[in-house]
Amino acid sequence: MLAEHDFDTFKALSPKTSSFIVDEVDLINIATLNLAERMQNLELEVDEYTCELERLAMLDTLTGLPNKAMLNHELQKTIACVGRIHDKIALMFLDLDEFK
């Protein structure tokens, strides 16, 4: 279940320590639950960083406006929809010479 990232099911099915004496099996169970918790937190962190990188890849870091990659992405999506959803599309492209 850990390999499949099914952390909630793993936690629900793992045995609970109910005895007063903690033995090696209980220690292994506790360590495994801690590992599952850490893996789940790392997975959430990776997802957050991935979303942030995807956002940064599509926006200009200085202005926060969509960049050329976003234009290409949105244009490809719109062209793919021509004939199915849209009948026509329009594109207005402004080029500012020596804009810095």
Side-chain angles (χ1 to χ4, degrees):
M1 286 182 249
L2 289 178
E4 296 171 358
H5 306 279
D6 193 3
F7 302 112
D8 294 328
T9 305
F10 176 79
K11 290 176 189 175
L13 294 178
S14 65
K16 308 297 184 251
T17 304
S18 60
S19 64
F20 293 108
I21 301 171
V22 178
D23 61 358
E24 290 83 9
V25 174
D26 293 330
L27 291 175
I28 291 172
N29 185 37
I30 292 168
T32 306
L33 287 172
N34 289 339
L35 176 65
E37 186 71 30
R38 290 178 65 194
M39 285 178 65
Q40 187 174 19
N41 290 339
L42 285 173
E43 187 173 286
L44 291 173
E45 249 183 82
V46 167
D47 289 343
E48 289 173 5
Y49 285 127
T50 301
C51 288
E52 179 67 13
L53 286 174
E54 288 172 354
R55 187 186 70 76
L56 289 174
M58 296 293 184
L59 298 176
D60 180 71
T61 54
L62 178 64
T63 63
L65 297 172
N67 61 13
K68 185 177 178 181
M70 175 68 96
L71 170 69
N72 288 334
H73 175 73
E74 292 298 321
L75 190 58
Q76 292 298 326
K77 281 183 7 185
T78 304
I79 290 171
C81 293
V82 172
R84 290 184 301 141
I85 297 173
H86 306 293
D87 292 334
K88 301 173 188 172
I89 60 170
L91 174 66
M92 182 172 75
F93 184 78
L94 300 174
D95 185 18
L96 302 173
D97 290 333
E98 297 189 33
F99 178 74
K100 295 187 184 209

